[in-house]
Amino acid sequence: MGNGIAHVFAQFDYKVNLIDIQQTALDQALDTIAKNLDRQVSKELLTEEQKAATLKNITTFTSISEGVSTADLIVEAATENVELKLKIFKDLDIYAPADAILASNTSSISITQIAAVTKRGNKVIGMHFMNPVPVIKLVEVIRGYQTSDETTKAIMSLSENLGKVPVEVNDYPGFVANRILMPMINEAIYTLYEGVAGVYEIDTVMKLGMAHPMGPLQLADFIGLDVCLAILKVLHNGFGNPKYAPCPLLINMVAAGKKGTKSGEGFYKYTHGSKELVVSDKFTQS
């Protein structure tokens, strides 16, 4: 998500400092951005000159203090872990300029909780991009309890400047996107777990019958099964409602390291970008 967000800002001529604690991750991010830009060039969405200008707009840092020292906006895109995000925002509050807006790309964690560890709650907001960021138009803008009108208006306007469609929502577990999406994915996993149908069958029903571009199990792989599990836990803990309890099959798959595309296997196996159905009695009836 981080490299996708950096890609979009840089493409629209914003100067971007891309930060990670590991240089190898930054090198990989730049390689991914370059490949995605090549794809845009091949589709005649960008020129070679625009690709070069986009890459030139990105500078990498392995230090938060250096990377955010002159920023007007910081968009955090760390993994969906509450403790990690709170630690990052404490650091951002120290090192970022006092008037900088601090945004989180969190897909479920409370913006109000994140803002509470800073001294600028009025300038903390959710800016939930959808993956792949250069393609999907939606930005879910989450307003925390302390988020000011000024901050909200600034992020709504900025999102439009990036060619996105911002939608303002309030700060409740899962916001809108994942409060609706994750129970659907979880129910699809339960449908598989209880032997109602196989992976291919479930995804085909939803694609052909409900006009979804991809089935819920394939989408879960794409999101990351570990991320799905983390979001469901936030929903379950936040609402205390058993309908959000993650399916045991999802819990076991994550424990076994089957996290979807990122690990090479989830409900499907992935080889060099291709997808094939997992052949296992656990996952399919075919």
Side-chain angles (χ1 to χ4, degrees):
M1 290 298 294
N3 69 64
I5 295 168
H7 173 154
V8 169
F9 273 93
Q11 182 181 323
F12 282 83
D13 208 28
Y14 290 92
K15 299 299 181 184
V16 176
N17 291 349
L18 183 60
I19 307 168
D20 195 283
I21 59 174
Q22 296 182 340
Q23 186 61 48
T24 53
L26 292 169
D27 294 340
Q28 184 178 359
L30 289 176
D31 183 59
T32 299
I33 292 170
K35 288 178 179 177
N36 288 335
L37 287 167
D38 283 337
R39 189 174 295 112
Q40 289 177 296
V41 171
S42 69
K43 294 179 179 179
E44 299 183 345
L45 299 173
L46 291 179
T47 65
E48 285 288 352
E49 291 75 18
Q50 288 172 316
K51 171 194 169 183
T54 298
L55 291 172
K56 189 176 180 180
N57 281 334
I58 303 173
T59 305
T60 61
F61 291 85
T62 54
S63 165
I64 286 183
S65 60
E66 292 181 55
V68 306
S69 62
T70 60
D72 298 313
L73 167 68
I74 298 98
V75 183
E76 167 273 322
T79 189
E80 200 73 350
N81 178 286
V82 174
E83 289 75 20
L84 176 60
K85 288 187 184 292
L86 296 184
K87 170 64 169 64
I88 290 172
F89 271 81
K90 286 178 183 177
D91 290 342
L92 293 177
D93 196 38
I94 293 169
Y95 297 118
D99 59 350
I101 293 174
L102 308 183
S104 177
N105 184 55
T106 180
S107 55
S108 62
I109 296 169
S110 169
I111 299 301
T112 301
Q113 181 181 8
I114 291 172
V117 302
T118 76
K119 296 177 181 178
R120 61 178 89 190
N122 63 319
K123 291 185 174 293
V124 178
I125 196 166
M127 200 175 186
H128 182 205
F129 291 86
M130 306 292 152
N131 200 19
V133 181
V135 176
I136 304 299
K137 290 289 188 181
L138 176 66
V139 176
E140 195 175 27
V141 177
I142 304 100
R143 183 172 184 148
Y145 185 81
Q146 299 182 72
T147 308
S148 69
D149 291 342
E150 182 182 9
T151 297
T152 303
K153 289 176 182 177
I155 294 303
M156 294 289 283
S157 176
L158 175 61
S159 299
E160 291 174 351
N161 291 343
L162 297 174
K164 302 299 185 184
V165 178
V167 176
E168 182 183 341
V169 305
N170 289 320
D171 187 22
Y172 291 94
F175 317 131
V176 171
N178 282 313
R179 181 171 179 171
I180 295 170
L181 175 63
M182 286 301 151
M184 183 191 74
I185 286 176
N186 199 41
E187 193 62 31
I189 300 171
Y190 264 112
T191 303
L192 176 65
Y193 177 62
E194 294 171 358
V196 178
V199 172
Y200 171 79
E201 291 79 7
I202 292 168
D203 277 356
T204 300
V205 166
M206 297 304 292
K207 285 190 289 185
L208 300 185
M210 313 305 168
H212 291 192
M214 68 173 69
L217 299 177
Q218 182 185 354
L219 179 57
D221 276 356
F222 187 69
I223 294 169
L225 302 190
D226 54 333
V227 175
C228 292
L229 178 58
I231 295 170
L232 283 165
K233 286 181 177 178
V234 169
L235 290 168
H236 192 212
N237 292 335
F239 290 114
N241 191 321
K243 75 177 182 180
Y244 297 112
C247 178
L249 175 57
L250 175 61
I251 294 170
N252 285 341
M253 289 178 70
V254 172
K258 311 301 183 185
K259 299 179 181 180
T261 56
K262 68 175 72 176
S263 67
E265 183 176 339
F267 295 106
Y268 297 84
K269 287 183 180 178
Y270 301 86
T271 306
H272 303 300
S274 65
K275 172 175 69 67
E276 60 180 352
L277 187 62
V278 174
V279 180
S280 168
D281 290 338
K282 293 180 181 178
F283 300 120
T284 180
Q285 295 179 336
S286 58

